[in-house]
Amino acid sequence: MADCIFCKIASGQVPSNIVYEDDQVTAFRDLEPQAPVHVLIIPKKHVESVLGLGDEDRELVSHIMCDVIPKLARELKVAEKGFRVVANTGEEGGQTVKHLHFHLLGGRSMQWPPG
Ligand code: 5GP
Ligand code: ZN
């Protein structure tokens, strides 16, 4: 999508601190980290949010959840103590970038409920 910042990051048009990449997924450090480890995991193709996912995306979501996130959590050394995965969705969900992304946050104790 032409004016989407995360599409531009996924395609390399906009630089970012990439920690993982394959043909379907890019993961990069958040510009304004909210925890010692704060990485965003995105599909390379533009999907607005979890509400934009379809049957054809089942393998992609499984790949993100079953492979990419556990691998990153281990590599970034937050797997043992714990971490949080968040997909803010829509206005009241606090979503500011309308390209599906999973926040992986760790390296400190998380609070519940979130703000
Ligand atoms: P949301 O608020 O939509 O759940 O999360 C969007 C996240 O993207 C925010 O944590 C914000 O700091 C991050 N972000 C926004 N623009 C950029 C950017 O250009 N580069 C990077 N690395 N992160 C960004
Ligand atoms: Zn996009």
Side-chain angles (χ1 to χ4, degrees):
M1 202 186 182
D3 61 350
C4 171
I5 183 69
F6 284 2
C7 281
K8 288 180 180 165
I9 286 175
S11 68
Q13 280 175 266
V14 165
S16 66
N17 189 339
I18 291 176
V19 294
Y20 175 83
E21 190 172 20
D22 63 32
D23 57 332
Q24 299 182 88
V25 176
T26 304
F28 51 96
R29 304 266 183 190
D30 197 291
L31 204 56
E32 294 179 41
Q34 303 300 313
V37 171
H38 188 174
V39 163
L40 302 172
I41 299 106
I42 67 169
K44 285 191 168 174
K45 76 166 190 174
H46 185 87
V47 178
E48 185 165 320
S49 75
V50 290
L51 296 172
L53 291 167
D55 259 349
E56 68 281 10
D57 299 311
R58 288 181 192 281
E59 192 273 331
L60 169 65
V61 175
S62 299
H63 176 49
I64 290 172
M65 287 297 171
C66 299
D67 305 320
V68 178
I69 289 175
K71 172 184 163 64
L72 281 173
R74 290 190 185 98
E75 284 179 4
L76 298 170
K77 311 280 184 224
V78 295
E80 200 171 315
K81 283 196 167 177
F83 58 94
R84 185 169 287 175
V85 176
V86 179
N88 295 328
T89 304
E91 193 183 335
E92 290 201 357
Q95 183 177 9
T96 59
V97 177
K98 291 185 176 162
H99 179 130
L100 175 64
H101 50 283
F102 297 92
H103 297 255
L104 190 165
L105 297 136
R108 66 168 170 84
S109 278
M110 299 292 155
Q111 306 302 308
W112 193 264

